[in-house]
Amino acid sequence: MRTDAQGSQNRPGPLVSSTSSPNGVAAVVAKGVVDLPVGAGVVLVVGGTGKTGRRVAERLAGLGYGVRVGSRSGAVAFDWHDEGTWEAALEGVSAAYLTYYPDLAFPGAVEAVGAFARLAARRGVGRLVLLSGRGEEAAEAGEKAVMESGTAWTVVRCAWFNQNFSESFFLDPVLAGELALPVGGAVEPFVDAEDIAEVAVAALTRAGHAGEVYELTGPRLLSFAEVAVELSRATGREVRFEAVSEAAYRGVLEEAGLPGDFAELFSVILDGRNASLGDGVRRALGREPRDFADFAREAAASGVWDV
């Protein structure tokens, strides 16, 4: 996350190199001090079928970069729980975007992410961009592991995604017209996955982002009751909010095949610790973040909430 003056030079644009030698390029690219040339190896996108990873991969391909989607079903398989897949996934890679499913704060994430980051550094990967979450102590341990890996790094530390309501575990409740969550009157500066992807691509491909921790949020704080109002306005039908207990919500998650531990995580990170706005989008891109209302209007127009 950086200043407005730097942000203007960090927007995607013509890519330049200080040398025509591949080895010379690698030496300076590894320090994150020049733009990443289009021909300087492959960019690995771990979780490249997810909400942010898919958008990162699409943007990179649109800029002309070679992209490897890191997933169990990818052309080159990648599995966080199978270290035997890591070497092949890193072959020829110059930069990597790292996401950990289900969340960087979950048990085992720090050890896996740290080990992979250190291997990436040994294999000559010059830049690592890590997706993290705000207000999660365990996630911060994962950030530290990447920072200590021995290669250039950037952390994108994010608020809750807008797209959780259109592409993830909140989609069915929106379709049903009721958001039942263990969050009470908590407020959150929901961030758009499009903004996250744009910041990640800038960090992967442009100079000036190495060593930065970008706090990515939307432009305003919203309670879930206010989110329900925005969704009602966008869809043209009522979407209600109801506060429920953590135990009740754990059961709902498990019925849906999702980790019940999400219920505890929701309660922890929505205890007020994240009730503030970050400046990461503005620092990295030189513009304001996208508002939830704009997201809701576009999502509604796409038909994703049609019933």
Side-chain angles (χ1 to χ4, degrees):
M1 312 170 175
R2 233 24 353 173
T3 69
D4 287 348
Q6 290 178 314
S8 61
Q9 74 180 38
N10 292 333
R11 297 191 188 101
L15 299 174
V16 298
S17 167
S18 62
T19 175
S20 60
S21 163
N23 290 334
V25 169
V28 289
V29 165
K31 298 181 182 297
V33 296
V34 300
D35 296 342
L36 181 69
V38 169
V42 173
V43 181
L44 173 66
V45 181
V46 175
T49 59
K51 286 187 288 297
T52 66
R54 183 179 78 252
R55 290 171 167 85
V56 168
E58 289 171 353
R59 280 170 166 76
L60 288 168
L63 290 169
Y65 290 96
V67 178
R68 179 174 300 149
V69 172
S71 69
R72 287 192 293 267
S73 59
V76 178
F78 175 88
D79 188 341
W80 279 116
H81 305 293
D82 181 1
E83 294 188 24
T85 66
W86 295 1
E87 288 274 5
L90 288 169
E91 181 69 29
V93 168
S94 57
Y97 177 63
L98 307 182
T99 69
Y100 186 91
Y101 182 84
D103 190 89
L104 191 57
F106 272 54
V110 173
E111 293 78 9
V113 170
F116 182 77
R118 291 189 294 273
L119 177 62
R122 292 197 299 272
R123 294 296 175 268
V125 177
R127 305 178 188 203
L128 297 177
V129 177
L130 176 69
L131 177 71
S132 186
R134 297 180 89 211
E136 302 174 19
E137 291 181 5
E140 290 179 12
E143 295 172 10
K144 183 180 179 185
V146 171
M147 293 172 184
E148 295 176 347
S149 66
T151 193
W153 56 266
T154 306
V155 171
V156 287
R157 188 185 288 163
C158 301
W160 283 35
F161 303 167
N162 293 344
Q163 281 73 12
N164 286 340
F165 296 94
S166 61
E167 301 176 19
S168 192
F169 40 81
F170 295 152
L171 174 57
D172 286 343
V174 173
L175 292 173
E178 183 173 81
L179 294 171
L181 295 162
V183 296
V187 294
E188 173 74 10
F190 296 92
V191 67
D192 200 274
E194 300 289 351
D195 287 346
I196 299 169
E198 190 172 342
V199 171
V201 169
L204 287 165
T205 64
R206 307 293 285 180
H209 299 284
E212 298 294 341
V213 177
Y214 288 130
E215 293 257 352
L216 303 188
T217 74
R220 59 181 171 134
L221 296 169
L222 290 170
S223 68
F224 280 82
E226 290 169 328
V227 165
V229 170
E230 293 285 0
L231 294 172
S232 298
R233 184 177 295 123
T235 60
R237 58 184 174 79
E238 184 181 14
V239 179
R240 301 178 302 277
F241 167 71
E242 178 185 358
V244 298
S245 69
E246 180 182 320
Y249 192 61
R250 180 181 292 271
V252 171
L253 289 171
E254 291 173 348
E255 283 184 16
L258 293 166
D261 288 346
F262 268 137
E264 181 180 357
L265 180 61
F266 290 173
S267 297
V268 169
I269 64 178
L270 288 169
D271 62 0
R273 69 183 67 189
N274 293 327
S276 61
L277 301 181
D279 62 356
V281 173
R282 186 169 61 254
R283 292 168 56 211
L285 304 176
R287 64 165 175 81
E288 293 303 311
R290 191 182 189 205
D291 189 76
F292 187 91
D294 297 326
F295 149 75
R297 282 192 295 271
E298 286 191 21
S302 76
V304 69
W305 292 323
D306 289 352
V307 293

